[in-house]
């Protein structure tokens, strides 16, 4: 049995970064001080969360209640409560730890591009982590709804940071999906749960380990209404978890700066959706009631479709961040699928995939951002030979990609192993097959990035059959134009003119033979990168891809600033440690402990 202890630390963990927002704005004239507040707030937040971990692992649940603190109900019959329980700790520990290194990385990134509105950026970043911790520690559906909506509002300035037409459109779409769409579904589901529980006694929306007792009683008399409530809540959380068909906002949000992409796709926003599905299945309906109602199978089928379909779409994305965005859509559905299968081992795999995906995907986004800052390169087809220029960055990318693909000795393998075994033991072979197919597709869309960076040269590199027509590709993308030295090959564009430095812009118009009419125009065209590089282009009019003369071989210590390289090295090390020594990583212990509390028996 859990011991409930009144404690202010859950509230303090939420408020520390909210306080940082004020300090960041007040220090707008002093960039070093402003960024210092971000780092200090991240360290303080992680320290507060970590201080509760030993007690939580020993069965203590720390709670702060608005009603107890003020003597006033927040809403009639509903309290505003924050509870640090094992499931909340999983999300809170992950988010607070990764924010430390994201703060350093964001500083290096924003300064490297001399971005505008940096004070607003760091203030919104801090507010986002405050609301993310509120979601983690929410004690009931009303509290999680409030923080869920606040998260959409405070991250909007980050998505629309560039303030151009594309950013504003993406920001409005983001708000429409996550704030209005997801919020409406979540609120409707919460009201229905309140109404159902009121019919069997005192109305409640408070989370209970293993499911709400009153809701189970109500479902026994009105299973249809209970099922509707489940699907409404699943849709609300599914928007941020990017479950198809509610996913399209996520790829468009790639217009945001890369640290935001990491925040959206690895830590706060999308993980809040996956975490919400975990709260729904484990602590609202409970695995038993979810299975009895049969609502898990439609959700599992939708998740299985999403993880395969999104992986297929990622194959055709030449823009690296958009490829990673669809990868995130697929990877999040691993979590939803594992939760929906309801088998204890699959539940462990789903919960463990929350940190496993975070470490792997944050590595990939950090690397993509470093490449953009240093070389203004955003397209996979422009990256031939870039491993010479950025060996550490692309080496870390290779490890992060391997983790996402589920290669042994990396974090993604451990979580996917549990998911696969859980699916097979549950007799859900079709879902296990979907996991295997998606794993193969992960390799197919991530390996070309690594291969292009390390095993191809700027002058001569292969056509990518999944990016360039015809399917099956050509022997080479480039032709020798009769250069006196016979060394430089040039891509032919739509107009028949060679592009800069032998690089086909975006890989869009390379020709295998030098004849412009050999193939139809390729699907990928030249697009502006995610930021303006007007003030930071070291190569005149050349934007993206190798400069004239090719990439210069760069020592690791010189390929970027320590503000960006240090976070990349730390996060990718975490992905490795989670795969090599998962028993020493607290996240596996937490995942097992959460599932054992829910089902009431040993799991592993």
């Amino acid at each position: 049995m859990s011991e409930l202890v009144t404690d202010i630390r859950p509230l303090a963990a939420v408020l520390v970064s909210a306080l940082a927002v004020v300090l960041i704005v007040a220090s707008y004239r002093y960039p070093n001080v402003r960024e210092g507040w971000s780092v200090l707030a991240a360290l303080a937040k992680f320290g507060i969360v970590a201080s509760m971990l030993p007690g939580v692992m020993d069965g203590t649940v720390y709670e702060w209640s608005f009603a107890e603190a003020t003597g006033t109900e927040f809403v009639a019959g509903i309290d505003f409560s924050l509870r640090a329980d094992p499931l909340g700790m999983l999300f809170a520990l992950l988010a607070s730890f990764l924010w430390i290194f994201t703060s350093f990385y964001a500083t290096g990134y924003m300064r490297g591009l001399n971005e505008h509105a940096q004070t607003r950026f760091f203030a919104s970043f801090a507010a986002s982590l405050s609301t993310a911790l509120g979601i983690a520690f929410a004690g009931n559906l009303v509290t999680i709804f409030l923080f869920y909506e606040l998260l959409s509002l405070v991250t909007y300035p980050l998505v629309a940071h560039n303030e151009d037409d594309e950013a504003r459109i993406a920001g409005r779409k983001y708000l429409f999906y996550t704030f209005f769409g997801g919020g409406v579904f979540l609120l409707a589901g919460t009201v229905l749960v309140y109404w159902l529980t009121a019919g069997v006694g005192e109305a409640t929306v408070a989370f209970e380990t293993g499911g709400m007792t009153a809701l189970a009683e109500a479902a026994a008399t009105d299973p249809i209404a209970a099922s509707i409530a489940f699907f409404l809540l699943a849709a609300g959380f599914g928007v941020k978890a990017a479950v198809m068909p509610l996913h399209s906002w996520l790829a468009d949000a790639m217009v945001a700066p890369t640290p935001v992409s990491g925040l959206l796709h690895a830590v706060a926003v999308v993980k809040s959706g996956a975490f919400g599905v975990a709260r729904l299945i484990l602590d609202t309906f409970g695995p038993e009631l979810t299975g009895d109602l049969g609502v898990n199978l439609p959700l599992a089928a939708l998740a299985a479709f999403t993880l395969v379909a999104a992986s297929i779409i990622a194959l055709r994305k030449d823009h690296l961040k958009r490829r990673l965005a669809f990868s995130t859509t697929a990877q999040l559905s691993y979590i939803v699928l594992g939760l929906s299968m309801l088998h204890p081992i699959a539940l462990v795999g789903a919960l463990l995939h929350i940190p496993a995906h975070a470490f792997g995907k944050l590595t990939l986004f950090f690397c993509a951002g470093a490449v953009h800052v240093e070389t203004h390169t955003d397209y996979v087809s422009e990256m031939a030979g870039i491993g010479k220029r950025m060996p550490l960055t692309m080496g870390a990318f290779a490890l992060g990609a391997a983790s996402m693909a589920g290669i042994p000795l990396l974090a993604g393998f451990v979580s996917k192993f549990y998911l696969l075994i859980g699916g097979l033991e549950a007799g859900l072979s079709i879902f296990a097959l979907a996991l295997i197919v998606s794993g193969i597709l992960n390799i197919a869309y991530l390996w070309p990035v690594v291969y292009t960076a390390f095993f191809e040269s700027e002058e001569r590199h292969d056509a990518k059959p999944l990016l360039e027509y015809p399917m099956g590709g050509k022997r080479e993308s480039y032709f020798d134009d009769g250069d006196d030295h016979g060394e430089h090959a040039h891509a032919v564009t739509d107009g028949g003119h060679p592009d800069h430095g032998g690089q086909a812009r975006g890989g869009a118009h390379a020709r295998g033979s030098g004849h412009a009419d050999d193939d139809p125009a390729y699907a990928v065209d030249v697009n502006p990168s995610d930021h303006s590089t007007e003030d930071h282009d070291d190569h005149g009019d050349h934007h993206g891809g190798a400069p004239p003369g090719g990439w210069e071989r760069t020592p690791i210590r010189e390929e970027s600033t320590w503000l960006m390289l240090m976070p990349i090295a730390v996060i990718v090390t975490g992905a490795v440690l989670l795969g090599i020594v998962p028993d020493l990583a607290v996240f596996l212990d937490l995942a097992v402990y959460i599932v054992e509390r829910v089902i009431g028996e040993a799991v592993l």
Side-chain angles (χ1 to χ4, degrees):
M1 290 294 293
S2 298
E3 178 186 2
L4 190 63
V5 175
T6 300
D7 199 299
I8 199 172
R9 281 180 289 180
L11 177 64
V14 173
L15 292 181
V16 67
S17 44
L19 174 61
V21 173
V22 178
L23 297 174
I24 288 169
V25 173
S27 306
Y28 73 97
R29 294 181 182 272
Y30 310 99
N32 289 336
V33 175
R34 179 187 63 201
E35 273 83 285
W37 288 125
S38 295
V39 174
L40 287 174
L43 290 169
K45 182 184 286 288
F46 177 70
I48 294 169
V49 172
S51 71
M52 295 185 282
L53 181 61
V56 169
M57 294 298 291
D58 286 337
T60 302
V61 174
Y62 300 100
E63 181 180 49
W64 180 86
S65 167
F66 181 83
E68 289 186 10
T70 64
T72 306
E73 286 186 332
F74 180 68
V75 178
I78 301 175
D79 190 16
F80 179 89
S81 65
L82 298 171
R83 300 179 61 179
D85 61 1
L87 182 56
M89 282 296 296
L90 179 71
F91 185 28
L93 193 68
L94 176 69
S96 59
F97 177 75
L98 293 181
W99 187 34
I100 297 172
F101 303 99
T102 305
S103 297
F104 285 104
Y105 180 88
T107 300
Y109 184 93
M110 300 299 283
R111 292 184 180 184
L113 292 174
N114 194 24
E115 282 282 0
H116 72 289
Q118 292 190 27
T119 298
R120 183 187 67 194
F121 174 90
F122 284 103
S124 298
F125 221 92
S128 300
L129 268 296
S130 182
T131 53
L133 266 288
I135 291 172
F137 290 148
N140 56 58
L141 285 170
V142 169
T143 305
I144 202 172
F145 166 75
L146 292 175
F147 283 110
Y148 193 80
E149 293 290 78
L150 281 174
L151 180 60
S152 297
L153 290 177
V154 298
T155 50
Y156 169 78
L158 297 174
V159 175
H161 175 81
N162 286 352
E163 299 183 29
D164 55 16
D165 290 341
E166 185 182 8
R168 290 189 176 95
I169 291 172
R172 287 195 293 268
K173 186 174 185 178
Y174 172 72
L175 273 186
F176 176 79
Y177 271 81
T178 62
F179 183 79
F180 296 105
V184 167
F185 285 131
L186 189 56
L187 180 60
T190 300
V191 170
L192 189 51
V193 168
Y194 184 90
W195 177 76
L196 284 169
T197 55
V200 295
E202 185 177 356
T204 180
V205 290
F207 300 129
E208 297 177 28
T209 301
M212 298 164 55
T213 303
L215 184 57
E217 295 176 4
T221 58
D222 196 345
I224 294 178
S227 298
I228 293 173
F230 179 91
F231 286 123
L232 286 171
L233 292 171
F237 291 123
V239 171
K240 280 193 171 71
V243 176
M244 289 183 173
L246 306 172
H247 70 291
S248 66
W249 64 269
L250 192 146
D252 289 346
M254 288 299 93
V255 70
T258 300
V260 178
S261 302
L263 175 77
L264 291 175
H265 293 74
V267 185
V269 177
V270 296
K271 285 299 187 302
S272 70
F275 174 79
V277 175
R279 279 291 192 203
L280 171 64
I281 292 177
L282 301 180
D283 293 342
T284 305
F285 279 75
E288 184 176 354
L289 176 58
T290 302
D292 290 342
L293 292 173
V295 290
N296 63 306
L297 292 179
L299 183 59
L302 192 59
F305 172 79
T306 299
L307 63 90
V308 173
S311 298
I312 294 173
I313 295 172
L315 291 170
R316 294 285 296 169
K317 296 301 175 183
D318 193 26
H319 193 287
L320 181 56
K321 283 176 64 177
R322 290 187 71 87
R323 182 178 296 206
L324 296 180
F326 281 100
S327 171
T328 296
T329 301
Q331 295 289 334
L332 289 171
S333 283
Y334 279 78
I335 301 169
V336 177
L337 177 59
L339 292 166
S340 301
M341 290 192 289
L342 303 181
H343 189 279
I345 295 180
L347 293 176
V348 170
L351 295 175
L352 185 59
H353 200 62
I354 293 176
H357 172 260
F359 279 93
K361 187 53 62 67
L362 194 57
T363 297
L364 298 183
F365 274 112
F366 277 5
C367 292
V371 169
H372 175 77
V373 170
E374 298 299 326
T375 71
H376 312 307
T377 300
D378 300 312
Y379 292 89
V380 177
S381 55
E382 294 179 334
M383 293 183 179
I386 201 173
K388 292 185 298 184
R389 170 65 177 83
M390 307 191 72
L392 175 62
T393 299
M394 295 313 299
F397 188 97
L399 287 174
S403 179
M404 289 293 89
I407 303 301
L409 301 182
L410 293 166
F413 171 78
V414 181
S415 58
K416 291 183 180 183
F417 177 80
Y418 285 126
L419 287 168
L420 184 60
I421 295 301
L424 292 174
E425 291 194 2
L428 300 172
S429 301
I430 185 64
F431 297 138
L433 178 62
L435 291 170
I436 294 173
V437 171
S438 179
I440 296 172
L441 292 172
N442 290 340
I443 298 173
Y445 65 70
L446 289 174
W447 169 246
V449 184
V450 180
Y451 180 82
T452 298
F454 287 109
F455 300 106
E456 294 186 333
S457 68
E458 305 91 310
E459 294 82 13
R460 298 170 68 86
H461 61 267
D462 300 333
K464 303 300 181 296
L466 295 174
L467 289 175
E468 303 173 2
Y469 284 102
M471 301 302 285
K474 291 180 176 291
R475 186 176 65 84
E476 293 182 14
S477 292
Y478 297 99
F479 69 97
D480 189 345
D481 67 347
D483 186 355
D484 291 339
H485 301 286
E487 294 176 347
H488 300 290
H490 297 277
V492 175
T493 62
D494 279 347
H497 302 294
D499 204 352
H500 295 291
Q503 290 298 307
R505 288 293 296 151
H509 309 297
R511 295 292 188 243
S513 66
H515 298 291
D517 296 328
D518 279 359
D519 303 309
Y522 296 135
V524 182
D525 203 349
V526 179
N527 293 303
S529 60
D530 58 344
H531 298 293
S532 171
T533 58
E534 181 178 353
D535 298 328
H536 309 282
D537 186 5
D538 297 328
H539 310 294
D541 293 331
H542 180 77
H543 292 270
W551 302 110
E552 294 183 5
R553 192 172 298 277
T554 306
I556 289 176
R557 65 181 181 276
E558 297 178 7
E559 68 179 73
S560 186
T561 65
W562 75 270
L563 285 169
M564 301 183 75
L565 292 180
M566 181 272 291
I568 290 173
V570 171
I571 301 304
V572 76
T573 300
V576 173
L577 291 177
L578 278 173
I580 296 177
V581 286
D583 288 341
L584 298 181
V586 69
F587 293 110
L588 177 58
D589 292 338
L590 262 175
V592 172
Y593 182 49
I594 291 165
V595 176
E596 288 179 345
R597 290 175 75 246
V598 169
I599 67 174
E601 60 184 49
V603 175
L604 301 178

